[in-house]
Amino acid sequence: MPRPILATIHTEALRHNLARMREAAPDARVWAVVKANAYGHGIERVYDALRGADGFALLDLLEAERVRALGWRGPILLLEGAFEPRDLELCSRLGLWHAVHCDEQIDWLAAHKTQVPHRVFLKLNSGMNRLGFAPQRFRAAWARLDALPQVEEISLMTHFSDADGPRGIAHQLAAFEEATRDLPGERSLGNSAATLRHAADPRVRADWIRPGIAVYGSAPDFPQHDIAHWRLQPTMTLATRVIGVQQLQPGDTVGYGSSFTADAPVRIGVIACGYADGYPRHCSTGTPVLVEGVRTRLVGRVSMDMIAVDLSPVPQAGFGSEVTLWGRATNGTVLSIDEVAASGGTLGYELMCALAQRVPVVVAV
Ligand SMILES: *Cc1c(COP(=O)(O)O)cnc(C)c1O
C-alpha cells in the first residue's frame, strides 16, 4: 500500500471561486492566472474547471504550450513576455499575447519576422519597481510599439504592490491614469486582492482582471479577511492518516530537538506527512490540523516524513484516522491553507506551489 498521503483538487470549488471573481467585476473579462503550474494544482487538473475564464495568464512558455495542447483556442497572456528573441516565434505560432515591459523586448519585436502581428500588453511600472516602463518612459515605448508592423494591438497593464494591505492602490492607480491618459487600448490592473477589495472602482475592474490566488481558495489579505469572508472555497486538500500512536506522560517529549514537552498525560498521533511533502517545516507546536474533521494542533517539530498531532480533542481517533493538513475534511470541516501558512510564517501561495512531487494528487468534484 502506498503511503496514505493524498492531495485532492476540488473542481467545483475552482468553478465557484472563478464565478466569485466574475461577480466581483461583472463587466470585466477574466484572466485565470495559472502560472507556477496553476499555483501547484496542475494546469491539466484545473483546466476543465477554469475554461469558463476569458483567457489564461502565465509566464512559462512551456506552460503556454500545455494550455494549447489541452485544446484552448482563446487568449493566453505571457505575464512577463519574451525572455529571449526566439520566444516570439512561439508567440506567433501559438498566438500568444505577451507583456512588453522593457526596451529589449521591443528591440526583439522590431527584428521579429512574422506573418501574424502580435497583441501585446505594455506594462507600466506604477510603483512596484519590479517589471515595467517608468511613467516618464511609457509613452515613448507605446509610440515605438505602435509604429511596428509586428504589433497588431496594444493593451495597457500594471500590477499593484499593496492591494492586500493598508497602503492600498491609490498612488499606483493615479500613476497609471496619468501615464495612460489619452492612450487607446484595453486595460488590465487588478490581481485577486485588488479585485476583491477595490473593484467597486471601475478603473480597477477595467477591461481585464487577473485573479490568481483567490481562484485557488486562499484569501489574499489573510488574516484581515479569511476565505469565509470572501466566500471562497478551498481548492486543494492535503490529507493523510495516523500511522502511529504514542501515550505520553508528563515530562515526555516529542520529535527532534524535544521541542514539545507534555505537561499532562496526552495521546499523540504520528501522521504520514512531513516537509518532504511540502508541509512547512517552520510550523511548530500549536499549528492547527484536523483529525477526523476535529480541530487540534501539531506538537513538536515537523520532520521530513512525519508530524505529531495532539489527539486529546478527538478521543475516538487512533491508528488510521483521517488527518487534514489543509482543505476540507470528510465531515465538511474546513481548515484554510492561509491559517496553516500563517503559523509557518508564510502565505497560502507558497504552500500550494510547494506541494511536493511525491504527493499523489486526485481530482474530485
Ligand atoms: C501572479 C500575478 C497575478 C495574480 O496575482 P494574485 O495575487 O495571485 O491574484 C496577476 N498579475 C500578475 C502580473 C501576476 O504576476
Side-chain angles (χ1 to χ4, degrees):
M1 189 186 145
R3 221 167 137 246
I5 191 163
L6 184 68
T8 304
I9 306 303
H10 305 289
T11 52
E12 274 316 306
L14 287 161
R15 276 183 234 280
H16 167 89
N17 296 340
L18 183 66
R20 272 290 293 127
M21 301 314 284
R22 268 206 197 285
E23 182 189 50
D27 48 0
R29 273 164 291 160
V30 180
W31 290 113
V33 179
V34 294
K35 65 189 179 189
N37 199 22
Y39 289 50
H41 289 61
I43 288 177
E44 288 75 12
R45 296 186 195 105
V46 303
Y47 174 69
D48 203 51
L50 299 185
R51 59 194 297 174
D54 299 290
F56 290 95
L58 40 73
L59 37 88
D60 190 318
L61 285 92
L62 291 171
E63 293 188 338
E65 287 188 294
R66 283 163 59 192
V67 174
R68 281 284 181 251
L70 287 162
W72 178 253
R73 302 238 175 121
I76 296 177
L77 175 61
L78 294 178
L79 290 165
E80 298 181 357
F83 300 101
E84 57 173 332
R86 66 172 187 174
D87 291 348
L88 295 174
E89 290 162 25
L90 193 74
C91 292
S92 296
R93 187 146 50 80
L94 298 183
L96 309 179
W97 301 3
H98 51 98
V100 171
H101 63 76
C102 62
D103 290 310
E104 289 80 357
Q105 291 179 330
I106 304 183
D107 297 340
W108 301 340
L109 257 174
H112 178 54
K113 294 189 176 43
T114 179
Q115 311 298 320
V116 256
H118 291 194
R119 168 93 177 248
V120 299
F121 276 63
L122 182 61
K123 185 159 187 176
L124 174 74
N125 171 13
S126 56
M128 190 177 199
N129 288 310
R130 225 168 45 170
L131 299 181
F133 289 92
Q136 66 276 15
R137 302 199 47 244
F138 194 71
R139 258 150 214 286
W142 188 90
R144 256 195 97 193
L145 283 175
D146 190 47
L148 294 182
Q150 291 89 344
V151 173
E152 178 191 45
E153 192 174 334
I154 308 171
S155 302
L156 312 173
M157 71 182 290
T158 197
H159 192 57
F160 296 124
S161 58
D162 290 76
D164 56 337
R167 190 174 181 205
I169 61 169
H171 60 295
Q172 285 188 264
L173 198 53
F176 185 78
E177 292 290 300
E178 168 70 20
T180 62
R181 179 152 308 161
D182 43 18
L183 295 178
E186 293 187 343
R187 276 121 164 104
S188 177
L189 295 85
N191 57 358
S192 299
T195 302
L196 289 171
R197 291 166 64 94
H198 304 286
D201 186 333
R203 298 173 302 171
V204 175
R205 300 197 298 276
D207 298 296
W208 293 88
I209 56 169
R210 305 189 305 269
I213 195 70
V215 172
Y216 303 100
S218 163
D221 56 356
F222 187 85
Q224 189 185 354
H225 297 113
D226 60 12
I227 52 171
H229 173 88
W230 293 121
R231 288 185 287 123
L232 299 168
Q233 298 174 3
T235 60
M236 180 192 283
T237 292
L238 180 61
T240 184
R241 295 196 177 276
V242 173
I243 59 166
V245 176
Q246 302 294 341
Q247 178 66 53
L248 305 194
Q249 299 307 322
D252 288 349
T253 65
V254 175
Y256 287 119
S258 303
S259 73
F260 173 80
T261 306
D263 54 11
V266 57
R267 234 163 37 103
I268 293 297
V270 176
I271 68 171
C273 178
Y275 61 77
D277 299 298
Y279 193 89
R281 204 189 74 90
H282 285 103
C283 285
S284 53
T285 298
T287 302
V289 56
L290 306 177
V291 175
E292 295 191 346
V294 176
R295 242 178 117 94
T296 177
R297 59 177 182 147
L298 184 159
V299 291
R301 274 193 205 156
V302 172
S303 41
M304 184 186 286
D305 311 304
M306 283 177 272
I307 302 173
V309 300
D310 181 352
L311 295 181
S312 328
V314 227
Q316 76 279 16
F319 183 87
S321 284
E322 175 197 55
V323 178
T324 309
L325 284 318
W326 59 70
R328 190 182 292 275
T330 303
N331 75 355
T333 306
V334 166
L335 173 59
S336 96
I337 197 168
D338 301 323
E339 261 195 84
V340 179
S343 296
T346 180
L347 302 172
Y349 292 78
E350 190 178 5
L351 298 202
M352 49 180 85
C353 290
L355 184 71
Q357 204 71 50
R358 79 172 184 182
V359 177
V361 184
V362 294
V363 176
V365 289

